[in-house]
Amino acid sequence: MNAVSTHAVPAPHRSGLLTWLTTTNHKRIGVLYMTTTLAFFLLSGILALVMRSQLYGPHLSLVDRQTYNELFTLHGTAMIFLFVAPFGLGLANYVLPLQVGAPDMAFPRLNALSYWVFLGGGLVIFSGLATSSGAGASGWTAYAPLSTTGSPGPGMDLWALGVLMVSAASIMTAINLLVTTFVYRPPGMTMWRLPIFTWDMVVTSLVILMAFPPLGTTLVLLLIDRLLGGHVFDPAHGGSAVLYQHLFWFFGHPEVYVMILPFFGVVTEIIPVFSRKPVFGYTGLVLATLGIAGLSMGVWAHHMFTTGAVVNPFFSAMSFLIAVPTGIKFFNWIGTMWGGELTFPTPMLFSIGFMLNFLLGGITGVMLASPPIDYHVEDSYFLVAHFHYVLGGGSLFAIFAAIYFWFPKITGALLREGWGRLNFFLMFVGFNVTFFPMHLLGLWGMPRRVVTYADLPGWAALNRLSTIGSWIMAAGVLVFLWNLWTSLRGRIPSGDDPWGGFSLEWATSSPPPEHNFARIPPIRSERPAFDMRHPDLRR
Ligand code: HAS
Ligand code: CU
């Protein structure tokens, strides 16, 4: 069935630890990136379970306040900097060169460096736990003066240094992805024939190049204040604490799109394949992505409405505008499914779960972008609900969709469908039971980042429900791990292209040979693998 794969030279099977430690091959680095980020996901998930157990009822004292502060700081930092954002980069490492028909990344050694600096950064952040003062405890946003005079001791220094390393790694990968896409495309692969995932990674990389240098600057200034007696963020000596927020959110808001655009790309790859239709509105999707990226640079102060230091109407209006290009994407996904021959294997289930959860998270985002509402619910559990619906219900669900979709490409074996469905079902139910009640808790006034709470009407019941939900979600993750384990041990060969995929990675063997393609099929549309299988249907 697959003309290329039968001629493909199988990858020379060098195994052993050393070959992994010294590899510069994009597929191996992609696998390293994805498994490392998944390990950080499990770690920070465990931290979350401890927090949820502490909040199971009012006035519990499973952990003390300082420990709780460290827990939510490490949890948030790891989920954001060490899992969701770098998973997108790791997936792109594996998939993007294949999708654009390149033999490897443009700069393979820079690519390896990026992975090792990333891993080092993650370990440096967690190494704070081994210091006498404990790990950083000022939240993933590390606002001054909490992160300056408020956190003596080396844990906070290590936090800043580790995040700095991770941001440097992201910049390296972004450069690599951009150059690979721009320079290494074969004849016929025009920009307007790139798969949407690749487009979304191009735009994500551009956002990284705009947003991460300001993060680096912020962290260096923070370290100067902490270690060299600087007073940049210290109002008592002519500095400004609000300046920290401006610098941080100038990075921080674009960062949320670094954590969602790759996953918009993932579901846009998956939905057409399981609808048996080309994606509906290709050009509109690309323009919408560019629009989101452009707007995302101009909304940072919606995180600062209550500081009184920003022009609220401007930042509110800019934030509302982002709903438009995002809505266009929903329109495209629904349009793609409309009238298609739909099937619902696990990657498709997770993609639909993504759409439902993300929709709710996006709508609460628009609510928060309205200053009168934000004054009421900022720093409450309503905000916690918002960002978990976009990141946990959105990005995380798309990450699972991606794993189920590309696992056969990477390993040549299928994940078990039955376990996959159970995995999805437990996570979807668990996720919503955990996070939906938080909307109400927030509206009723429960603040975020508190180690315990008063026994006010309804609070205990909803918190208990939320904690039970987190256990259901954890069960879903365990099912996933079991699925990985059984599917790798008792391999069900997937063949080269189990889904009838559209983009170029499905036109080579699974797993692909060392340099990806023995021969690249002619590229006449944005669906070269489909065209290859259906030469009769030439467009
Ligand atoms: Fe957000 C805070 C506003 C998307 C992540 N966000 C956060 C935080 C995180 C985060 C992590 O304006 C917490 C940071 C912290 O620790 O302090 N967010 C938005 C808006 C969008 C949005 C307008 N957020 C994301 C994504 C994230 C993410 C994506 C990560 C993956 N967010 C905020 C605001 C705050 C905030 C405030 C700060 C609050 C505070 O007090 O600190 C948009 O991009 C969402 C667009 C998507 C949709 C859904 C699809 C659109 C359709 C079109 C029709 C919809 C319409 C809207 C016309 C809207 C289907 C109808 C509106 C109604 C109200 C019904
Ligand atoms: Cu924002």
Side-chain angles (χ1 to χ4, degrees), residues 80 140-141 249 253 256-257 259-260 302-303 305 319 322-323 326-327 330 358-359 362-363 365-369 374 378-379 383 386-387 390-391 395 448-449:
I80 286 174
W140 80 278
T141 50
W249 288 116
H253 186 85
V256 308
Y257 293 99
M259 291 190 285
I260 202 70
H302 66 205
H303 297 270
F305 284 147
S319 308
I322 296 199
T326 318
F330 271 84
F358 182 80
L359 180 64
I363 284 175
V366 177
M367 293 166 82
L368 286 164
D374 187 67
E378 64 124 12
D379 272 342
L383 174 74
H386 158 64
F387 71 73
V390 278
L391 277 172
S395 310
R448 74 193 283 207
R449 293 176 172 162

Side-chain angles (χ1 to χ4, degrees), residues 41-42 49 346 350 396-397 400 404 418-431 468-484:
F41 164 65
L42 296 179
L49 290 175
T346 313
F350 272 106
L396 177 67
F397 273 62
F400 276 91
Y404 278 93
W419 291 119
R421 282 167 191 277
L422 184 64
N423 175 5
F424 169 75
F425 177 76
L426 287 172
M427 284 196 41
F428 189 77
V429 172
F431 176 83
I468 292 169
S470 71
W471 296 335
I472 302 176
M473 243 190 125
V477 175
L478 288 179
V479 169
F480 165 69
L481 293 177
W482 172 251
N483 197 354
L484 275 185

Side-chain angles (χ1 to χ4, degrees), residues 367-386:
M367 293 166 82
L368 286 164
S370 171
I373 299 181
D374 187 67
Y375 267 83
H376 184 62
V377 294
E378 64 124 12
D379 272 342
S380 79
Y381 262 86
F382 190 84
L383 174 74
V384 179
H386 158 64

Side-chain angles (χ1 to χ4, degrees), residues 60-349:
L60 297 186
S61 50
L62 186 68
V63 295
D64 60 27
R65 197 162 64 113
Q66 168 65 19
T67 311
Y68 190 85
N69 293 351
E70 288 174 41
L71 283 172
F72 70 68
T73 300
L74 285 178
H75 164 74
T77 306
M79 285 295 188
I80 286 174
F81 288 111
L82 306 179
F83 173 49
V84 176
F87 186 93
L89 297 177
L91 180 66
N93 234 303
Y94 196 100
V95 172
L96 183 140
L98 286 163
Q99 287 199 330
V100 303
D104 203 324
M105 289 277 251
F107 309 115
R109 289 187 187 174
L110 183 70
N111 201 20
L113 180 66
S114 143
Y115 168 73
W116 293 106
V117 172
F118 162 73
L119 176 63
L123 296 178
V124 167
I125 292 169
F126 274 94
S127 69
L129 283 173
T131 65
S132 54
S133 60
S138 8
W140 80 278
T141 50
Y143 280 172
L146 266 183
S147 56
T148 51
T149 45
S151 308
M156 192 64 223
D157 300 323
L158 290 167
W159 181 91
L161 190 65
V163 175
L164 191 59
M165 290 168 73
V166 172
S167 68
S170 311
I171 292 173
M172 292 180 218
T173 303
I175 292 171
N176 233 329
L177 293 172
L178 283 173
V179 179
T180 307
T181 312
F182 288 144
V183 179
Y184 281 75
R185 280 171 289 130
M189 179 65 86
T190 62
M191 286 302 276
W192 291 107
R193 287 176 185 166
L194 288 180
I196 296 286
F197 175 73
T198 293
W199 255 117
D200 283 7
M201 286 317 302
V202 165
V203 179
T204 305
S205 302
L206 291 172
V207 174
I208 288 179
L209 291 189
M210 289 187 285
F212 277 64
L215 171 67
T217 311
T218 317
L219 294 166
V220 169
L221 291 174
L222 181 63
L223 285 168
I224 289 175
D225 269 18
R226 291 180 55 82
L227 300 173
L228 303 176
H231 297 287
V232 181
F233 302 128
D234 174 10
H237 295 84
S240 160
V242 171
L243 174 65
Y244 180 92
Q245 294 197 24
H246 273 298
L247 284 171
F248 183 84
W249 288 116
F250 190 75
F251 146 79
H253 186 85
E255 164 75 349
V256 308
Y257 293 99
V258 169
M259 291 190 285
I260 202 70
L261 292 180
F263 305 112
F264 287 165
V266 164
V267 298
T268 313
E269 293 295 307
I270 292 172
I271 290 173
V273 169
F274 298 113
S275 307
R276 295 273 167 265
K277 276 173 65 190
V279 68
F280 168 69
Y282 176 98
T283 317
L285 268 168
V286 174
L287 294 180
T289 310
L290 287 165
I292 292 174
L295 288 169
S296 82
M297 299 307 295
V299 302
W300 76 91
H302 66 205
H303 297 270
M304 302 168 61
F305 284 147
T306 55
T307 57
V310 296
V311 186
N312 286 0
F314 171 80
F315 286 101
S316 172
M318 290 292 281
S319 308
F320 288 164
L321 276 182
I322 296 199
V324 177
T326 318
I328 291 177
K329 285 177 181 273
F330 271 84
F331 186 62
N332 286 319
W333 294 325
I334 294 168
T336 305
M337 287 190 268
W338 200 272
E341 281 173 42
L342 295 178
T343 50
F344 297 95
T346 313
M348 186 69 164
L349 289 179

